[in-house]
Amino acid sequence: MPKLRQVIVNARPFDAAKGIVGPVSRIVIEGNTIAAVSAEPIQVDDATVIDAGGRVVLPGLIDAHVHVVASSHDLVGLTNQVPSLLVAESTRILREMLHRGFTSVRDAAGADFGLQEAVQRGLFEGPRLSIAGFPISQTGGHADMRPKGVRNREMFCACAGLGLVGAIADGVGEVRRAVREQVRNGANQIKIMAGGGISSPTDPLEGTQFSMDELRAACEEAEAANLYAMAHAYSPRAVTRAVQAGVRSIEHGNLIDEATARVMKEHGAFLVPTLSTYAALADEGDRLGWSAEMLEKLERVKSRGIDAVRIARAEGVPVVFGTDLLGHMHQRQNGEFDLRLQAMSPVEALQSATIVAARLLRQEGRIGELRAGAWADLLIVDGDPTQGLSMLTKPEQGIHLVMQGGRTVRSSLTTA
């Protein structure tokens, strides 16, 4: 059976590597991949023609820090939700992400191999999904969601492991076993809680978590499986320890200083800021019932997020797009671009959600670029993204077509 052939004409492709918009070109798609991007006239027979009308074509966007099963801000409450309902709510989150232009996402804990396979098989509409499984947490760490006074080692969970409940591990042996369990269950990356957090009940924000031997063990096990480790960390000390242990990407990192950024650069680490979640929680945290202690921690990291991006960029640390939104706040996903423009140019912000994110995920040449051999994940947008990103911050108006793997997800354009 012949492959479906499509050609997008009158397209101005964004070159993610160079950060420029190219000349009017044709983008030829064979099945689910891009066959050619050419400014030269090429003959394409028996193809469905999509006229971009001189608009810019972007690679599909990548969000490198999401929680697709976080259908509520109440993370403890999620553990008591039955898995069938949790999955049903996740399908809406996934679909809406895709329709906002995010054709690939990295789940930073919560989603499992079943949800990933459902998307791959087309049972659910959603972005390509890289999963971490359970986050690895020490006792009392950021993913130890047991309320104070609970003595049982494992927290009761009705959600079949789909919530953000941590795999609690203490000591090198337990850490190795916890990582191996995630590998066994199909993880694409390993999530480690290397420092304190905002939403967890017992850990100080600037504290460190896990010993260096435990951190190294987690990274060694990830590397042994040809995976990598991502680490939740805010403080300079927590970030430095994680990177020195072999962590590839630092999630959040709001409190880093220049010395810490230099260590990150030396070790080839990426920074994945998540500015939009702090903006959303600052607006709604009090109404959602967050404690005074949690809101105080939130304010400390929110006020430093933009500075962290500036510091990382100045020291040459690659910065990747992430959001970390919860519940109804997922709808703010595209607003991350606006926040980043305080510290990055439009081109840099767009690259953080395309080619730089692809490098972090080790998916260069497959996602994040418009090039032969890449998945046919692309957006047709209004305006010039090298001058501003309003077409992405208001996707319902600025994005005219979303395509994933050669399949048109939504479009206001005509085909012939």
Side-chain angles (χ1 to χ4, degrees):
M1 186 174 180
K3 290 184 176 180
L4 174 66
R5 182 180 292 114
Q6 302 176 82
V7 58
I8 302 175
V9 301
N10 297 323
R12 297 170 58 222
F14 175 72
D15 186 323
K18 296 179 180 177
I20 60 173
V21 173
V24 174
S25 304
R26 287 189 167 198
I27 301 174
V28 182
I29 298 166
E30 295 276 359
N32 57 13
T33 62
I34 296 174
V37 180
S38 176
E40 301 299 322
I42 51 176
Q43 184 65 33
V44 183
D45 298 323
D46 301 323
T48 298
V49 177
I50 300 172
D51 190 345
R55 296 182 179 89
V56 172
V57 179
L58 303 177
L61 303 176
I62 305 164
D63 189 332
H65 193 118
V66 302
H67 296 289
V68 300
V69 299
S71 57
S72 168
H73 68 282
D74 181 2
L75 302 183
V76 175
L78 282 176
T79 66
N80 295 318
Q81 194 170 123
V82 294
S84 54
L85 181 57
L86 196 55
V87 169
E89 291 176 334
S90 297
T91 63
R92 173 181 50 81
I93 293 170
L94 287 161
R95 180 181 183 276
E96 290 176 356
M97 283 183 177
L98 180 59
H99 281 243
R100 286 191 288 265
F102 291 90
T103 54
S104 298
V105 298
R106 183 180 65 158
D107 192 83
D112 70 354
F113 63 93
L115 196 57
Q116 182 185 52
E117 185 171 339
V119 173
Q120 290 173 345
R121 291 168 57 182
L123 301 175
F124 298 153
E125 188 178 53
R128 304 177 189 283
L129 190 60
S130 295
I131 62 171
F134 288 8
I136 314 300
S137 174
Q138 69 174 39
T139 293
H142 183 55
D144 184 351
M145 303 305 291
R146 296 172 299 169
K148 292 178 182 178
V150 172
R151 297 183 182 275
N152 293 335
R153 175 68 184 272
E154 302 298 335
M155 183 173 179
F156 171 77
C157 176
C159 65
L162 283 170
L164 274 65
V165 178
I168 299 174
D170 297 301
V172 168
E174 287 190 5
V175 168
R176 289 190 187 280
R177 182 185 180 99
V179 173
R180 290 171 183 173
E181 284 289 349
Q182 308 323 304
V183 174
R184 184 180 72 85
N185 282 302
N188 304 112
Q189 65 275 336
I190 300 300
K191 174 74 172 293
I192 307 169
M193 299 307 192
I198 299 168
S199 59
S200 43
T202 60
D203 53 338
L205 182 65
E206 294 182 336
T208 61
Q209 296 179 11
F210 287 122
S211 69
M212 287 299 294
D213 286 343
E214 289 169 322
L215 291 172
R216 290 191 190 99
C219 293
E220 286 171 3
E221 291 299 328
E223 184 179 353
N226 296 324
L227 306 181
Y228 67 89
M230 57 191 293
H232 165 105
Y234 283 103
S235 72
R237 190 161 54 116
V239 170
T240 298
R241 293 171 80 252
V243 169
Q244 290 175 337
V247 163
R248 179 173 172 84
S249 79
I250 295 296
E251 312 303 303
H252 319 303
N254 296 50
L255 305 180
I256 63 169
D257 54 21
E258 288 81 0
T260 307
R262 286 192 288 272
V263 174
M264 293 179 67
K265 174 65 175 177
E266 177 187 350
H267 287 80
F270 292 72
L271 178 67
V272 186
T274 56
L275 305 177
S276 54
T277 195
Y278 310 116
L281 289 170
D283 289 345
E284 305 191 42
D286 189 53
R287 181 179 65 82
L288 295 175
W290 277 38
S291 69
E293 181 183 5
M294 293 164 69
L295 292 174
E296 187 274 332
K297 290 195 287 184
L298 171 64
E299 182 54 35
R300 287 168 60 198
V301 298
K302 176 178 177 291
S303 64
R304 296 281 298 279
I306 292 296
D307 287 341
V309 176
R310 293 191 180 109
I311 290 169
R313 287 185 55 249
E315 298 296 337
V317 176
V319 177
V320 179
F321 188 99
T323 54
D324 194 29
L325 293 160
L326 308 172
H328 66 278
M329 291 172 275
H330 281 293
Q331 65 188 349
R332 295 181 180 234
Q333 187 175 25
N334 293 59
E336 181 78 22
F337 286 109
D338 261 342
L339 296 169
R340 287 177 181 238
L341 291 180
Q342 300 174 63
M344 310 176 79
S345 71
V347 167
E348 290 167 335
L350 183 53
Q351 288 174 320
S352 77
T354 52
I355 191 169
V356 182
R359 290 169 182 155
L360 168 58
L361 272 62
R362 296 176 173 170
Q363 292 291 312
E364 304 100 314
R366 296 300 279 164
I367 60 176
E369 294 182 82
L370 301 174
R371 57 181 288 183
W375 295 115
D377 298 349
L378 54 86
L379 316 178
I380 298 178
V381 301
D382 277 335
D384 183 350
T386 67
Q387 302 301 309
L389 298 179
S390 61
M391 75 290 292
L392 299 182
T393 58
K394 299 177 180 177
E396 66 284 350
Q397 301 170 18
I399 299 177
H400 288 274
L401 178 142
V402 176
M403 178 180 288
Q404 182 192 48
R407 182 183 73 87
T408 296
V409 174
R410 70 175 180 89
S411 176
S412 61
L413 304 177
T414 57
T415 59

